[in-house]
Amino acid sequence: MTDVVIAGASGFMGRHLTAAMRRDGRTVRTVGRGPSADAAWGDTDGIARLVDGAGLVINLAGKPVHARYGDATRAEILRSRVETTRELGTALARVATPPPVWLNASTATAYAHSTERAHTESDPTSQQGFSEDVARAWERELEAADTPATRRVALRTTITLGHDGEATQLLFRLARLGLGGPQLDGPWFKHERYRGLAADRGTAEAAAPSTGRATHGRQRFSWIHIDDAVGAVRHIEATPELVGPVNLAAPQAVTNRQLMALLRQTVGMPFGLPAPRFVLEPAMWALRTESELVLKSRWVSPGKLLQTGFAFQHPRLDWALRAIWARLRAPVE
């Protein structure tokens, strides 16, 4: 009997979850596009055979969002999330012994930009724009699956930090190079890369702001350590009352200014050049990514995890960054 099936196991979180489940003594099978996967996307019958009788299914598949939102990339970000979730739901609906729990990736960017208060799972996800629309489409596909015997949870994940995480390594690199100042929003040319999906369908355009918000570095940074993300998955599986969206976020969010100051302190860099919007945008163009990833205020609270007694190993960002930096600096054995 297959114990755990993980789709998207080659990514940062997927690698850690696979290793953790195997340390727990569980058998792990994977769904993906590479030759090492046990079943391939597009082979719905093969996926069905894999998930039949499984104890847990985790779907983390989706094109990374660290990219420029051109038309082809926008389409692939949406397709890679919605179609894989749909195919997995189709496979689960076919099996004789459906898994009791299905955890499907989602994103905390589903919530609106906020500098006033943290969002919990009870808050609406009504802000318009590309990232928010993708999150809603992703979760609608999970909700639409015909799997009444399977408890479904959408993992609304914040920035996940760890020594081998691409985002973490980039943040440390900026701080070490003296570029660890705050990212400051401001005026910029209007563009349509953040337009909502409705605009692509030829209906009324729903566009996220592209011309700047006066946050002055006060945009919030919500995060979670990879160890706590893995622990949260274990906790959700073991807690039957957890259903629907669950925020994967540490209890302590910080401002962008606080984040960059903590990074500088961690690496021992006494200064960090700030990045106003007119400096940030060309840099993001060169890095082939979007400024929205650092300028939108993502303030998310782990409401359901705290209500059900989940204990965080890394509740504070300063502790988490020091632990990660020590791991990065440790000699390789």
Side-chain angles (χ1 to χ4, degrees), residues 250-306:
Q252 182 205 66
V254 297
T255 66
N256 178 264
R257 286 184 179 274
Q258 291 169 330
L259 164 68
M260 303 313 291
L262 288 172
L263 285 164
R264 296 194 302 272
Q265 292 169 16
T266 302
V267 304
M269 174 58 70
F271 68 90
L273 296 175
R277 185 80 180 268
F278 67 85
V279 172
L280 183 64
E281 288 289 351
M284 290 297 185
W285 176 85
L287 292 170
R288 309 312 299 160
T289 189
E290 291 288 351
S291 65
E292 179 193 46
L293 299 176
V294 295
L295 295 179
K296 180 180 177 180
S297 185
R298 293 170 168 85
W299 194 354
V300 182
S301 174
K304 288 186 177 180
L305 289 179
L306 293 176

Side-chain angles (χ1 to χ4, degrees), residues 142-163:
L142 176 65
E143 295 166 4
D146 185 16
T147 58
T150 299
R151 174 164 58 96
R152 286 164 282 174
V153 175
L155 304 174
R156 287 183 179 167
T157 309
T158 52
I159 300 295
T160 307
L161 304 178
H163 74 280

Side-chain angles (χ1 to χ4, degrees), residues 26-305:
R26 304 177 75 169
T27 301
V28 178
R29 299 286 184 266
T30 62
V31 181
R33 301 195 185 281
S36 62
D38 297 291
W41 294 115
D43 179 12
T44 308
D45 290 337
I47 296 172
R49 288 191 294 271
L50 208 62
V51 301
D52 195 1
L56 172 65
V57 171
I58 306 171
N59 179 25
L60 306 172
K63 177 181 173 59
V65 296
H66 294 287
R68 298 292 284 181
Y69 293 170
D71 288 351
T73 299
R74 284 166 51 92
E76 181 59 17
I77 287 173
L78 177 64
R79 186 207 64 76
S80 64
R81 286 156 173 75
V82 171
E83 290 188 5
T84 53
T85 302
R86 182 183 303 143
E87 183 173 8
L88 194 53
T90 300
L92 290 172
R94 293 180 181 179
V95 302
T97 309
V101 185
W102 173 11
L103 309 184
N104 205 77
S106 184
T107 173
T109 202
Y111 299 110
H113 171 98
S114 174
T115 57
E116 301 300 322
R117 66 178 185 87
H119 291 290
T120 67
E121 294 89 347
S122 61
D123 288 316
T125 57
S126 55
Q127 182 167 306
Q128 301 300 304
F130 174 65
S131 298
E132 296 82 4
D133 286 358
V134 167
R136 282 189 289 271
W138 204 356
E139 292 189 8
R140 279 197 302 269
E141 205 61 52
L142 176 65
E143 295 166 4
D146 185 16
T147 58
T150 299
R151 174 164 58 96
R152 286 164 282 174
V153 175
L155 304 174
R156 287 183 179 167
T157 309
T158 52
I159 300 295
T160 307
L161 304 178
H163 74 280
D164 55 340
E166 183 179 353
T168 315
Q169 293 176 356
L170 175 60
L171 289 171
F172 278 133
R173 191 178 309 122
L174 290 174
R176 293 186 72 189
L177 292 173
L179 303 175
Q183 286 90 46
L184 305 173
D185 206 345
W188 191 249
F189 302 103
K190 185 176 180 181
H191 61 77
E192 296 186 352
R193 295 193 307 278
Y194 301 161
R195 68 187 183 275
L197 297 178
D200 289 344
R201 295 192 294 268
T203 56
E205 179 175 347
S210 60
T211 54
R213 302 179 176 100
T215 51
H216 306 291
R218 294 192 299 270
Q219 65 270 29
R220 291 283 176 157
F221 177 80
S222 288
W223 59 280
I224 189 169
H225 192 285
I226 186 61
D227 292 348
D228 283 325
V230 170
V233 165
R234 291 190 179 112
H235 176 78
I236 293 167
E237 182 186 11
T239 308
E241 61 264 37
L242 286 174
V243 65
V246 173
N247 292 341
L248 296 195
Q252 182 205 66
V254 297
T255 66
N256 178 264
R257 286 184 179 274
Q258 291 169 330
L259 164 68
M260 303 313 291
L262 288 172
L263 285 164
R264 296 194 302 272
Q265 292 169 16
T266 302
V267 304
M269 174 58 70
F271 68 90
L273 296 175
R277 185 80 180 268
F278 67 85
V279 172
L280 183 64
E281 288 289 351
M284 290 297 185
W285 176 85
L287 292 170
R288 309 312 299 160
T289 189
E290 291 288 351
S291 65
E292 179 193 46
L293 299 176
V294 295
L295 295 179
K296 180 180 177 180
S297 185
R298 293 170 168 85
W299 194 354
V300 182
S301 174
K304 288 186 177 180
L305 289 179

